[in-house]
Amino acid sequence: MAARAGVSKSLVSLVLRGDPGVSPARRGAVDRAIAELGYQPNRVAQVLGARRSGTVGVLLNDLRNPWFVDLLDGVTATLDTLGFSPVLIDSATLRRVGGSPVEQLLKQQVDGIIVVGTTEDGEQLRRAAAVVPVVLSGTYEPADLGPGVEVDVVVNDDVDGAAAATRHCVELGHSRITHLQGPGRVGDLRAQGYRDAMAAAGLAALTVPGGMSEESGYAAARRVLAGAPRPTAIVAYNDLAAIGALSAAHDLALTVPEQVSIVGYDNTYLAKIRHLSLTSVENGTLAIGVHAARFLVERIGGKTPARRVHQVPASLVVRRTTSRPGV
Amino acid sequence: MAARAGVSKSLVSLVLRGDPGVSPARRGAVDRAIAELGYQPNRVAQVLGARRSGTVGVLLNDLRNPWFVDLLDGVTATLDTLGFSPVLIDSATLRRVGGSPVEQLLKQQVDGIIVVGTTEDGEQLRRAAAVVPVVLSGTYEPADLGPGVEVDVVVNDDVDGAAAATRHCVELGHSRITHLQGPGRVGDLRAQGYRDAMAAAGLAALTVPGGMSEESGYAAARRVLAGAPRPTAIVAYNDLAAIGALSAAHDLALTVPEQVSIVGYDNTYLAKIRHLSLTSVENGTLAIGVHAARFLVERIGGKTPARRVHQVPASLVVRRTTSRPGV
DNA sequence: CTGTTAGCGCTTTCAC
DNA sequence: GTGAAAGCGCTAACAG
């Protein structure tokens, strides 16, 4: 301990925390001692003493989905300005080794948890939510986290985003448009946006389950594109599934966008890869991350408003996988 | 505290740690009390008391490079079986918000650090290496971490991998093969493998700097492919750069693989996307992660062997971006 | 403004 | 085998 500066522990503590009520002289002495000793405060001891860790758990369900990583950027940046730091945990990886992601976070004394995307750890989250604040981002699930527990939700406007994607196809002149539906509530909402847009255009809707991975999107699209009458456009649940659809088209010797147009969702860096150049729905990933972090920190700070659902707008980014049909 | 079982703190501590020297009766009592109370040991207090955290910092320099994520799988799985858990930290994200990744880890009292891929935090790592063991995976840098500090290195055989990629092109009948060189020592080694293979075939080598991102690969390839005489094959530093090259070819209306063959490196899931279907060098990502974790835990355990350099073999995976020239 | 005094919840000698 | 006691390095009232 830097009693080297000739002061007490508490003074050091105050200086470290940037307390305004410390005389410049003393502060200088402490700062100098810190520098000389190369003193590094021990986070662990700080946490134990203050019984708050200044960390928030970020529960990603798959580090391989680029959307999560984008969202993480917003979360990290915001958390940082608010004095917190994220503890990442990839449930896919951890579950593979038999661990329990949420408990892991709790034992590490995180002050709160941000759930990113549809998760399978619902039951554990219920228990966690009784102990620390939780906010859901990019998902509505688990919807109910226990009696009296209010959980904020930050999402994009899935209905509108999917509707925009669908309308884009309609406006290009497509009439046989199939939707590859994804899992969970978000999947349902996107499907609904699709159906709304189809109905508004007086077209018949057709949705098939397409999962949320490249693999599952490939399989679904392959089936759809091999059938008759073949759709001329596919609106996918996310970019990964859309890329699977791209591959399916390729394998069936169908050219994109000439013979089949394809739209993704999330506008991840995959969509931006020039060689793929996927038309996709931008869903305000960064803003979602920012708001999720902000909401959580508010609750950690003791505010306990009723459940808030914040929606950021979605917008379509047109690239090279969509065009008029049969062009 | 579960003195509820009618025993002392220390006994609980022993039971928790699975110490063999505890009578079954007492153990039962403690276990029961734990269950009844839903007792969760406080990790933070454990760490403070035991002055070892059981965590190891994993310093990723970019969560967006899929290769890192793959490697992480091996690290996490191995760490877990050895009783440690990883603390991920993405220096790109953190630096963006002005933090210092390595110090962050140190303050969290990690027991050791695994560096994944070429990093820019060399100076900080030197300081860290004086305090906790460090192992480098997928990189040789920073090469010198201070006097008397031994650091293990786990990598793939970059020279051989790049040579295999190049030989593949040679055997297909290509003679104008350009290499997009990446950064750091790894970039140098891959360039050397390329040159070796070219020399062995009696061909003239040509390397140009191509970075390690899609963007930079695109720019480099675009320049190369627009020049004359145009190469008929490109061996890229990694998959990301290769995909950039794919896009460049596309933009120049050159067909792949007919007019230009392209080989990547790392065999990430990007290469496996059917619509890209990139020929790539598999570099034993998982094995690298496993060994890195193992080496680190050994050192944490107190072993201090001389610097070890472990190399896992590389092998080529041929997909659809390579063929005979002009076919 | 500054120093004192208790803990935070566990691990660890070290006796019994 | 088991318990008592002394910390781990800090924070947080509280009293000067």
Side-chain angles (χ1 to χ4, degrees):
Chain A
M1 218 311 232
R4 149 81 155 264
V7 297
S8 72
K9 288 142 61 111
S10 13
L11 221 216
V12 175
S13 190
L14 288 181
V15 172
L16 248 31
R17 236 154 338 107
D19 190 298
V22 177
S23 70
R26 302 268 178 183
R27 179 186 298 281
V30 173
D31 283 342
R32 214 167 313 114
I34 287 178
E36 282 171 16
L37 267 35
Y39 172 76
Q40 282 273 45
N42 181 329
R43 276 248 76 210
V44 174
Q46 290 181 322
V47 171
L48 189 59
R51 34 204 152 298
R52 32 167 257 91
S53 64
T55 62
V56 334
V58 179
L59 190 69
L60 285 283
N61 79 11
D62 183 8
L63 229 31
R64 289 188 166 79
N65 185 331
W67 185 73
F68 296 140
V69 180
D70 287 344
L71 197 148
L72 199 57
D73 257 5
V75 169
T76 306
T78 308
L79 242 31
D80 190 81
T81 69
L82 298 174
F84 286 79
S85 48
V87 176
L88 305 192
I89 186 148
D90 175 7
S91 15
T93 300
L94 196 62
R95 222 183 341 263
R96 220 168 294 140
V97 303
S100 153
V102 178
E103 279 185 7
Q104 186 106 347
L105 288 175
L106 249 30
K107 278 195 292 205
Q108 272 176 55
Q109 307 294 102
V110 296
D111 294 334
I113 295 179
I114 296 180
V115 178
V116 182
T118 307
T119 178
E120 291 163 25
D121 300 304
E123 198 34 61
Q124 289 180 52
L125 275 173
R126 297 174 66 91
R127 251 175 301 147
V131 184
V132 295
V134 170
V135 359
L136 306 177
S137 60
T139 176
Y140 292 84
E141 286 129 337
D144 173 28
L145 280 172
V149 179
E150 302 286 1
V151 177
D152 296 322
V153 173
V154 185
V155 287
N156 85 114
D157 190 339
D158 290 299
V159 174
D160 189 55
T166 309
R167 268 199 311 274
H168 169 62
C169 294
V170 170
E171 282 159 10
L172 285 171
H174 293 270
S175 54
R176 288 195 308 280
I177 308 170
T178 297
H179 175 56
L180 303 186
Q181 176 162 0
R185 174 85 185 278
V186 171
D188 292 343
L189 292 174
R190 293 186 186 172
Q192 189 195 318
Y194 157 79
R195 274 191 298 261
D196 290 353
M198 291 300 272
L203 296 172
L206 174 61
T207 72
V208 302
M212 57 186 297
S213 67
E214 198 233 336
E215 206 55 48
S216 57
Y218 173 80
R222 179 138 192 158
R223 230 171 300 120
V224 165
L225 291 174
R230 173 157 52 72
T232 59
I234 288 181
V235 174
Y237 168 71
N238 67 6
D239 283 354
L240 246 33
I243 287 167
L246 229 43
S247 300
H250 180 104
D251 282 8
L252 292 168
L254 296 170
T255 58
V256 175
E258 292 78 9
Q259 297 180 275
V260 47
S261 285
I262 294 175
V263 188
Y265 205 115
D266 287 347
N267 197 26
T268 61
Y269 83 91
L270 287 176
K272 299 171 192 164
I273 290 178
R274 288 188 187 72
H275 195 250
L276 295 172
S277 194
L278 182 67
T279 294
S280 186
V281 177
E282 162 64 43
N283 57 8
T285 317
L286 194 78
I288 292 179
V290 168
H291 278 95
R294 211 168 273 162
F295 281 173
L296 185 67
V297 171
E298 278 181 29
R299 285 192 186 274
I300 290 175
K303 293 199 185 123
T304 54
R307 173 194 189 83
R308 287 170 290 192
V309 176
H310 183 86
Q311 232 176 25
V312 313
S315 61
L316 189 72
V317 178
V318 178
R319 293 201 181 82
R320 293 203 308 255
T321 56
T322 47
S323 72
R324 288 171 29 229
V327 172
Chain B
M1 213 316 226
R4 148 82 155 261
V7 298
S8 72
K9 290 145 54 116
S10 10
L11 223 213
V12 175
S13 190
L14 290 181
V15 172
L16 248 31
R17 236 158 333 107
D19 190 299
V22 178
S23 68
R26 302 264 177 189
R27 177 184 300 280
V30 174
D31 283 341
R32 215 167 313 117
I34 287 178
E36 283 171 16
L37 268 36
Y39 172 77
Q40 281 272 45
N42 181 329
R43 276 248 74 211
V44 173
Q46 289 181 324
V47 171
L48 189 58
R51 30 206 157 304
R52 29 168 263 93
S53 65
T55 62
V56 335
V58 179
L59 191 69
L60 285 282
N61 79 10
D62 183 9
L63 229 31
R64 287 189 167 77
N65 185 331
W67 184 73
F68 296 140
V69 179
D70 288 344
L71 198 147
L72 199 57
D73 257 5
V75 169
T76 306
T78 307
L79 241 32
D80 190 82
T81 70
L82 298 173
F84 286 80
S85 48
V87 176
L88 305 192
I89 188 149
D90 174 9
S91 14
T93 300
L94 197 64
R95 221 182 344 262
R96 220 167 294 142
V97 303
S100 153
V102 178
E103 278 185 6
Q104 186 106 345
L105 288 176
L106 249 31
K107 278 195 291 204
Q108 273 176 56
Q109 307 294 103
V110 295
D111 294 334
I113 294 179
I114 297 179
V115 179
V116 181
T118 307
T119 177
E120 289 162 26
D121 301 302
E123 198 34 62
Q124 290 182 49
L125 275 173
R126 297 173 66 90
R127 252 175 301 146
V131 184
V132 295
V134 170
V135 358
L136 306 178
S137 60
T139 177
Y140 292 85
E141 287 129 335
D144 173 28
L145 280 171
V149 178
E150 302 286 3
V151 177
D152 296 322
V153 173
V154 184
V155 286
N156 85 116
D157 191 337
D158 289 300
V159 175
D160 189 53
T166 310
R167 268 198 312 273
H168 169 62
C169 295
V170 170
E171 282 160 9
L172 284 171
H174 293 270
S175 55
R176 289 195 308 281
I177 307 170
T178 298
H179 175 56
L180 303 186
Q181 177 161 358
R185 174 83 186 280
V186 170
D188 291 345
L189 292 175
R190 292 185 187 173
Q192 190 194 319
Y194 157 80
R195 275 191 297 264
D196 290 354
M198 291 299 272
L203 297 172
L206 174 62
T207 72
V208 301
M212 58 186 297
S213 67
E214 198 231 335
E215 206 55 45
S216 57
Y218 173 80
R222 180 143 190 153
R223 230 171 299 118
V224 165
L225 290 175
R230 172 156 53 72
T232 60
I234 289 181
V235 174
Y237 168 70
N238 67 6
D239 284 354
L240 245 34
I243 287 168
L246 228 43
S247 300
H250 180 105
D251 282 7
L252 295 168
L254 296 170
T255 58
V256 176
E258 293 77 11
Q259 295 179 277
V260 47
S261 285
I262 295 175
V263 189
Y265 206 115
D266 288 346
N267 196 27
T268 62
Y269 83 90
L270 287 176
K272 299 171 194 163
I273 289 178
R274 288 188 187 74
H275 195 250
L276 296 172
S277 194
L278 182 68
T279 294
S280 186
V281 177
E282 161 64 44
N283 58 7
T285 317
L286 194 78
I288 291 179
V290 168
H291 277 96
R294 211 169 273 164
F295 280 174
L296 184 66
V297 172
E298 277 181 28
R299 286 193 186 274
I300 290 175
K303 294 200 182 121
T304 54
R307 174 193 187 83
R308 289 169 289 190
V309 177
H310 182 87
Q311 233 176 26
V312 313
S315 62
L316 189 71
V317 178
V318 178
R319 294 203 181 82
R320 294 203 308 255
T321 55
T322 48
S323 71
R324 288 168 31 226
V327 171

